[in-house]
C-alpha cells in the first residue's frame, strides 16, 4: 500500500482532477491494496449516483466488413481468414424487436467501417425505423469515423449516442496501433463533432494495447478530463491470432479494473460499461467491473449465426448463446453481487 497513491485517490475523488505528474505517480506506484481502495471509493460513488441499478444495452453487430486495417483488430481488412457478413435492414430491425421483448431500451448498432454498403442515408433509415417501432428507446451508433455532415444526418434521424473509442490519446502510440492512412487528428475531430452535434459521446481505450506506457494512460486520463465524454469504453487488449499483434501479451485484468475505478472517480456520472473483453479475460470480469465502479453491461443481441464472425479478439464470450440466454445470464450475475438490471433508457446526465 502506498500512502502517496492513496492521497492521490482521495484528491481525485474530492477535486475530480489530477495533474500529469500525479496520474503518473498513481500508475507507477499503485499496488493491489491501492486498487481495492480505489475500487471501493468508485463503487460507493457509483451507488450514490445510480444506486444498485445496472443499465443494459443490446448490441447488434450488423457487419464485420471493414475498410480499415487496425493492427489489433480481428476484423481488419487484411484478415483474409475472417468470414464476412452483412445483416439486412429487416434483420437488424428484428434483433431490436426481439431485444425490446427482453427489456432492452437501448440498442447499439456496431460494425466495421463498412460505409460503402451502409452509407449514412441507409443507417439513417434504419435509425428512423427503430425509433418508429420503439419510440421509448435510445439508439447508439458505433460505426467508426465519418464526416461531420454524415454524423449530423444520423443525429437528425434520431440517433442519441455514439461510441468511438479514441484508442489512445498519445499520437505516437496511435500511430503504432494503426496503419499510416489512419489519422489521429481525424479520430479526435470525429469525437469533437459528435459532441457538438449533441450525441452522448463515448470515448475509450484498450488497456495494455501494445506499446502502451503509463505516460499514455496519464494522457488518456487528461483527455477524459478535458473532453468529458458521456460514456467511456474500457476493456483489456486481447490478441487475435490473425493480426500482426497475435504474439503480443494480453492487457492486465487488474489494471483494467483500476482504470474503471479511476474513470468513475474522475467523472461520477459517466456511463461506464463492464465490457465483453473484461468478461473474456476473467469469467467474473464483468461482475468485478461493476464492483470497481462500472454501471452498464452490453449483452449481445446479434443473431447467433453471425456471432462467431464478429471476432475482434480470440476467445470472445457469448458467441454460442441466444440473446435471451445472454439477457438472463446478466440478470443472474448482477443479482449474485447485489445489483439489479434496470429497464430504463439510462441517459447520461451531468450534475
Ligand atoms: N469500427 C468501429 C467499432 C470498432 S470495434 C470503430 O472504429 O469505432 C469496437 C472496439 O473494440 C474498438 O474501438 C477497440 O477498442 C476494441 N477492440 C478491437 N480489437 C480489439 C482487441 N484485439 N482486443 C480488445 N479490444 C479490441
Amino acid at each position: 500500500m502506498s500512502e502517496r497513491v492513496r492521497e492521490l485517490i482521495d484528491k481525485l475523488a474530492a477535486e475530480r482532477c489530477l495533474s500529469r505528474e500525479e496520474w503518473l505517480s498513481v500508475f507507477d506506484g499503485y499496488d493491489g491494496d491501492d486498487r481495492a481502495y480505489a475500487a471501493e471509493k468508485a463503487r460507493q460513488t457509483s451507488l450514490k449516483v445510480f444506486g444498485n441499478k445496472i443499465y443494459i444495452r443490446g448490441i447488434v453487430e450488423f457487419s464485420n466488413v471493414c475498410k480499415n486495417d487496425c493492427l489489433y483488430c480481428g476484423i481488419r481488412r487484411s484478415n483474409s481468414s475472417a468470414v464476412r457478413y452483412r445483416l439486412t435492414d429487416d434483420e437488424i430491425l428484428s434483433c431490436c424487436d426481439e431485444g425490446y421483448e427482453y427489456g432492452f431500451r437501448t440498442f447499439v448498432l456496431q460494425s466495421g467501417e463498412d460505409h460503402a454498403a451502409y452509407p449514412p442515408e441507409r443507417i439513417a433509415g434504419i435509425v428512423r425505423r427503430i425509433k418508429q417501432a420503439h419510440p421509448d428507446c435510445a439508439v447508439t451508433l458505433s460505426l467508426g469515423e465519418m464526416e461531420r455532415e454524415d454524423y449530423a444526418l444520423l443525429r437528425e434521424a434520431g440517433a442519441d449516442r455514439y461510441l468511438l473509442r479514441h484508442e489512445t490519446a498519445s499520437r505516437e502510440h496511435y500511430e503504432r496501433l494503426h496503419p499510416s492512412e489512419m489519422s489521429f487528428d481525424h479520430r479526435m475531430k470525429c469525437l469533437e463533432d459528435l459532441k457538438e452535434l449533441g450525441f452522448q459521446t463515448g470515448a475509450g481505450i484498450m488497456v495494455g494495447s501494445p506499446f502502451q506506457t503509463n505516460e499514455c494512460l496519464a494522457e488518456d486520463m487528461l483527455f477524459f478530463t478535458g473532453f468529458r465524454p458521456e460514456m467511456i469504453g474500457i476493456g483489456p487488449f486481447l490478441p487475435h491470432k490473425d493480426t500482426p499483434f497475435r504474439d503480443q501479451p494480453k492487457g492486465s485484468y487488474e489494471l483494467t479494473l483500476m482504470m474503471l475505478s479511476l474513470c468513475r472517480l474522475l467523472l461520477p456520472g459517466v456511463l461506464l460499461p463492464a465490457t465483453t473483453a473484461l468478461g473474456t479475460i476473467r469469467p467474473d470480469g464483468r461482475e468485478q467491473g461493476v464492483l470497481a465502479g462500472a454501471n452498464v453491461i452490453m449483452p449481445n443481441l446479434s443473431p447467433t449465426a453471425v456471432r462467431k464472425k464478429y471476432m475482434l479478439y480470440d476467445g470472445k464470450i457469448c458467441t454460442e448463446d441466444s440473446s435471451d440466454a445472454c439477457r438472463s445470464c446478466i440478470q443472474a450475475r448482477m443479482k449474485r453481487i447485489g445489483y439489479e438490471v434496470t429497464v430504463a433508457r439510462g441517459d447520461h446526465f451531468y450534475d
Side-chain angles (χ1 to χ4, degrees), residues 65-96:
V65 179
C66 193
K67 71 173 175 61
N68 285 340
D69 221 14
C70 308
L71 276 74
Y72 44 84
C73 185
I75 63 170
R76 67 202 300 265
R77 71 159 186 266
S78 338
N79 179 9
S80 53
S81 313
V83 180
R84 306 289 171 169
Y85 73 91
R86 289 175 168 134
L87 299 187
T88 65
D89 297 16
D90 287 345
E91 285 171 323
I92 297 170
L93 259 293
S94 45
C95 291
C96 298

Short mmCIF file of all heavy atoms in Angstrom, two decimals, residues 65-96:
data_model
loop_
_atom_site.label_atom_id
_atom_site.label_comp_id
_atom_site.label_asym_id
_atom_site.label_seq_id
_atom_site.Cartn_x
_atom_site.Cartn_y
_atom_site.Cartn_z
N VAL A 65 -17.57 -6.31 -42.09
CA VAL A 65 -16.74 -5.85 -43.21
C VAL A 65 -16.12 -4.52 -42.78
O VAL A 65 -16.80 -3.67 -42.20
CB VAL A 65 -17.61 -5.65 -44.48
CG1 VAL A 65 -16.74 -5.15 -45.64
CG2 VAL A 65 -18.31 -6.95 -44.84
N CYS A 66 -14.81 -4.36 -43.03
CA CYS A 66 -14.14 -3.14 -42.58
C CYS A 66 -13.11 -2.70 -43.58
O CYS A 66 -12.33 -3.49 -44.09
CB CYS A 66 -13.49 -3.36 -41.22
SG CYS A 66 -12.98 -1.80 -40.46
N LYS A 67 -13.11 -1.39 -43.86
CA LYS A 67 -12.14 -0.85 -44.81
C LYS A 67 -10.84 -0.50 -44.11
O LYS A 67 -9.84 -0.19 -44.75
CB LYS A 67 -12.72 0.38 -45.50
CG LYS A 67 -12.84 1.62 -44.63
CD LYS A 67 -13.25 2.82 -45.49
CE LYS A 67 -13.51 4.08 -44.68
NZ LYS A 67 -12.36 4.58 -43.93
N ASN A 68 -10.85 -0.55 -42.78
CA ASN A 68 -9.65 -0.18 -42.03
C ASN A 68 -8.79 -1.40 -41.72
O ASN A 68 -9.23 -2.55 -41.86
CB ASN A 68 -10.03 0.53 -40.73
CG ASN A 68 -10.49 1.95 -41.00
OD1 ASN A 68 -10.19 2.53 -42.05
ND2 ASN A 68 -11.21 2.52 -40.06
N ASP A 69 -7.57 -1.10 -41.25
CA ASP A 69 -6.62 -2.18 -41.04
C ASP A 69 -5.91 -2.03 -39.69
O ASP A 69 -4.69 -2.23 -39.60
CB ASP A 69 -5.60 -2.18 -42.19
CG ASP A 69 -5.27 -3.60 -42.65
OD1 ASP A 69 -6.00 -4.54 -42.28
OD2 ASP A 69 -4.27 -3.76 -43.37
N CYS A 70 -6.67 -1.70 -38.67
CA CYS A 70 -6.13 -1.52 -37.31
C CYS A 70 -5.35 -2.78 -36.93
O CYS A 70 -5.84 -3.89 -37.10
CB CYS A 70 -7.25 -1.27 -36.31
SG CYS A 70 -8.35 0.08 -36.82
N LEU A 71 -4.14 -2.58 -36.43
CA LEU A 71 -3.25 -3.73 -36.25
C LEU A 71 -3.73 -4.72 -35.20
O LEU A 71 -3.35 -5.88 -35.21
CB LEU A 71 -1.83 -3.25 -35.90
CG LEU A 71 -0.99 -2.87 -37.11
CD1 LEU A 71 -1.42 -1.55 -37.71
CD2 LEU A 71 0.49 -2.81 -36.76
N TYR A 72 -4.59 -4.26 -34.30
CA TYR A 72 -5.05 -5.12 -33.19
C TYR A 72 -6.32 -5.89 -33.49
O TYR A 72 -6.68 -6.81 -32.77
CB TYR A 72 -5.29 -4.23 -31.94
CG TYR A 72 -6.04 -2.94 -32.24
CD1 TYR A 72 -7.43 -2.91 -32.32
CD2 TYR A 72 -5.34 -1.76 -32.47
CE1 TYR A 72 -8.10 -1.73 -32.60
CE2 TYR A 72 -6.01 -0.58 -32.76
CZ TYR A 72 -7.38 -0.56 -32.82
OH TYR A 72 -8.04 0.60 -33.13
N CYS A 73 -7.04 -5.52 -34.53
CA CYS A 73 -8.44 -5.94 -34.64
C CYS A 73 -8.63 -7.14 -35.57
O CYS A 73 -8.14 -7.16 -36.70
CB CYS A 73 -9.28 -4.77 -35.14
SG CYS A 73 -11.04 -5.16 -35.17
N GLY A 74 -9.39 -8.12 -35.09
CA GLY A 74 -9.62 -9.35 -35.84
C GLY A 74 -10.43 -9.19 -37.11
O GLY A 74 -10.39 -10.04 -38.00
N ILE A 75 -11.17 -8.08 -37.25
CA ILE A 75 -11.95 -7.90 -38.48
C ILE A 75 -11.29 -6.89 -39.43
O ILE A 75 -11.92 -6.38 -40.34
CB ILE A 75 -13.44 -7.56 -38.20
CG1 ILE A 75 -13.60 -6.23 -37.47
CG2 ILE A 75 -14.10 -8.68 -37.40
CD1 ILE A 75 -15.08 -5.73 -37.39
N ARG A 76 -10.01 -6.60 -39.19
CA ARG A 76 -9.26 -5.71 -40.09
C ARG A 76 -9.33 -6.24 -41.53
O ARG A 76 -9.42 -7.45 -41.75
CB ARG A 76 -7.81 -5.56 -39.62
CG ARG A 76 -7.00 -6.85 -39.73
CD ARG A 76 -5.79 -6.82 -38.80
NE ARG A 76 -4.91 -5.71 -39.11
CZ ARG A 76 -3.84 -5.79 -39.91
NH1 ARG A 76 -3.50 -6.93 -40.48
NH2 ARG A 76 -3.10 -4.73 -40.14
N ARG A 77 -9.22 -5.33 -42.48
CA ARG A 77 -9.46 -5.75 -43.87
C ARG A 77 -8.45 -6.78 -44.36
O ARG A 77 -8.79 -7.62 -45.19
CB ARG A 77 -9.54 -4.55 -44.82
CG ARG A 77 -8.24 -3.86 -45.07
CD ARG A 77 -8.19 -3.04 -46.35
NE ARG A 77 -6.83 -2.55 -46.50
CZ ARG A 77 -6.40 -1.37 -46.07
NH1 ARG A 77 -7.22 -0.51 -45.50
NH2 ARG A 77 -5.13 -1.03 -46.23
N SER A 78 -7.21 -6.75 -43.86
CA SER A 78 -6.26 -7.75 -44.37
C SER A 78 -6.43 -9.12 -43.79
O SER A 78 -5.71 -10.03 -44.19
CB SER A 78 -4.80 -7.38 -44.13
OG SER A 78 -4.58 -6.09 -43.94
N ASN A 79 -7.34 -9.30 -42.85
CA ASN A 79 -7.55 -10.65 -42.34
C ASN A 79 -8.42 -11.45 -43.30
O ASN A 79 -9.64 -11.43 -43.23
CB ASN A 79 -8.19 -10.62 -40.94
CG ASN A 79 -8.42 -12.02 -40.41
OD1 ASN A 79 -7.95 -13.01 -41.01
ND2 ASN A 79 -9.13 -12.13 -39.31
N SER A 80 -7.73 -12.18 -44.19
CA SER A 80 -8.48 -12.91 -45.22
C SER A 80 -9.12 -14.16 -44.65
O SER A 80 -9.94 -14.80 -45.31
CB SER A 80 -7.55 -13.26 -46.38
OG SER A 80 -6.42 -13.94 -45.86
N SER A 81 -8.78 -14.54 -43.41
CA SER A 81 -9.44 -15.70 -42.79
C SER A 81 -10.81 -15.35 -42.23
O SER A 81 -11.59 -16.24 -41.92
CB SER A 81 -8.61 -16.25 -41.64
OG SER A 81 -7.28 -16.39 -42.03
N ALA A 82 -11.07 -14.06 -42.05
CA ALA A 82 -12.38 -13.67 -41.48
C ALA A 82 -13.47 -13.94 -42.51
O ALA A 82 -13.33 -13.57 -43.68
CB ALA A 82 -12.36 -12.20 -41.09
N VAL A 83 -14.52 -14.61 -42.09
CA VAL A 83 -15.68 -14.85 -42.95
C VAL A 83 -16.61 -13.66 -42.78
O VAL A 83 -17.08 -13.38 -41.68
CB VAL A 83 -16.40 -16.16 -42.56
CG1 VAL A 83 -17.59 -16.40 -43.47
CG2 VAL A 83 -15.43 -17.33 -42.60
N ARG A 84 -16.83 -12.93 -43.87
CA ARG A 84 -17.54 -11.65 -43.74
C ARG A 84 -19.05 -11.83 -43.85
O ARG A 84 -19.53 -12.73 -44.54
CB ARG A 84 -17.04 -10.68 -44.83
CG ARG A 84 -15.53 -10.48 -44.86
CD ARG A 84 -15.01 -9.69 -43.66
NE ARG A 84 -13.54 -9.71 -43.61
CZ ARG A 84 -12.82 -8.94 -42.80
NH1 ARG A 84 -13.41 -8.09 -41.97
NH2 ARG A 84 -11.51 -9.03 -42.80
N TYR A 85 -19.79 -10.95 -43.20
CA TYR A 85 -21.25 -10.99 -43.27
C TYR A 85 -21.81 -9.57 -43.17
O TYR A 85 -21.13 -8.66 -42.66
CB TYR A 85 -21.85 -11.86 -42.15
CG TYR A 85 -21.76 -11.21 -40.78
CD1 TYR A 85 -22.79 -10.41 -40.28
CD2 TYR A 85 -20.61 -11.34 -40.00
CE1 TYR A 85 -22.69 -9.79 -39.05
CE2 TYR A 85 -20.51 -10.73 -38.77
CZ TYR A 85 -21.55 -9.95 -38.29
OH TYR A 85 -21.44 -9.33 -37.08
N ARG A 86 -23.01 -9.41 -43.66
CA ARG A 86 -23.75 -8.16 -43.51
C ARG A 86 -25.20 -8.50 -43.22
O ARG A 86 -25.78 -9.33 -43.93
CB ARG A 86 -23.70 -7.34 -44.79
CG ARG A 86 -22.34 -6.74 -45.10
CD ARG A 86 -22.34 -6.05 -46.46
NE ARG A 86 -21.15 -5.25 -46.64
CZ ARG A 86 -20.41 -5.24 -47.74
NH1 ARG A 86 -20.74 -6.00 -48.78
NH2 ARG A 86 -19.35 -4.46 -47.83
N LEU A 87 -25.79 -7.86 -42.23
CA LEU A 87 -27.22 -8.07 -41.96
C LEU A 87 -28.05 -7.12 -42.82
O LEU A 87 -27.61 -6.01 -43.13
CB LEU A 87 -27.55 -7.84 -40.48
CG LEU A 87 -26.86 -8.73 -39.44
CD1 LEU A 87 -27.44 -8.45 -38.05
CD2 LEU A 87 -26.98 -10.22 -39.78
N THR A 88 -29.25 -7.56 -43.18
CA THR A 88 -30.17 -6.67 -43.89
C THR A 88 -30.85 -5.74 -42.88
O THR A 88 -30.82 -5.98 -41.67
CB THR A 88 -31.28 -7.49 -44.58
OG1 THR A 88 -32.07 -8.13 -43.57
CG2 THR A 88 -30.69 -8.55 -45.51
N ASP A 89 -31.48 -4.70 -43.41
CA ASP A 89 -32.20 -3.76 -42.53
C ASP A 89 -33.25 -4.51 -41.71
O ASP A 89 -33.40 -4.28 -40.52
CB ASP A 89 -32.89 -2.67 -43.36
CG ASP A 89 -31.89 -1.81 -44.12
OD1 ASP A 89 -30.71 -2.23 -44.26
OD2 ASP A 89 -32.27 -0.73 -44.60
N ASP A 90 -33.97 -5.42 -42.37
CA ASP A 90 -35.01 -6.18 -41.66
C ASP A 90 -34.42 -7.04 -40.55
O ASP A 90 -35.00 -7.17 -39.47
CB ASP A 90 -35.80 -7.06 -42.63
CG ASP A 90 -36.74 -6.25 -43.52
OD1 ASP A 90 -36.97 -5.05 -43.19
OD2 ASP A 90 -37.21 -6.79 -44.54
N GLU A 91 -33.26 -7.63 -40.84
CA GLU A 91 -32.62 -8.47 -39.80
C GLU A 91 -32.21 -7.61 -38.59
O GLU A 91 -32.39 -8.03 -37.44
CB GLU A 91 -31.38 -9.18 -40.37
CG GLU A 91 -31.74 -10.35 -41.28
CD GLU A 91 -30.54 -10.92 -42.02
OE1 GLU A 91 -29.65 -10.15 -42.44
OE2 GLU A 91 -30.51 -12.16 -42.18
N ILE A 92 -31.69 -6.42 -38.87
CA ILE A 92 -31.30 -5.53 -37.77
C ILE A 92 -32.53 -5.15 -36.95
O ILE A 92 -32.53 -5.22 -35.72
CB ILE A 92 -30.59 -4.26 -38.33
CG1 ILE A 92 -29.29 -4.66 -39.05
CG2 ILE A 92 -30.31 -3.26 -37.22
CD1 ILE A 92 -28.65 -3.54 -39.85
N LEU A 93 -33.59 -4.80 -37.68
CA LEU A 93 -34.85 -4.44 -37.00
C LEU A 93 -35.37 -5.58 -36.14
O LEU A 93 -35.82 -5.37 -35.02
CB LEU A 93 -35.91 -4.05 -38.04
CG LEU A 93 -36.18 -2.57 -38.26
CD1 LEU A 93 -36.82 -1.95 -37.04
CD2 LEU A 93 -34.92 -1.80 -38.64
N SER A 94 -35.29 -6.81 -36.66
CA SER A 94 -35.87 -7.89 -35.84
C SER A 94 -35.01 -8.21 -34.62
O SER A 94 -35.55 -8.62 -33.60
CB SER A 94 -36.23 -9.14 -36.65
OG SER A 94 -35.22 -9.46 -37.52
N CYS A 95 -33.69 -7.97 -34.70
CA CYS A 95 -32.88 -8.09 -33.47
C CYS A 95 -33.37 -7.10 -32.42
O CYS A 95 -33.49 -7.44 -31.24
CB CYS A 95 -31.41 -7.79 -33.76
SG CYS A 95 -30.59 -9.02 -34.77
N CYS A 96 -33.68 -5.87 -32.85
CA CYS A 96 -34.15 -4.85 -31.90
C CYS A 96 -35.53 -5.24 -31.36
O CYS A 96 -35.78 -5.09 -30.16
CB CYS A 96 -34.20 -3.48 -32.56
SG CYS A 96 -32.59 -2.90 -33.12
#
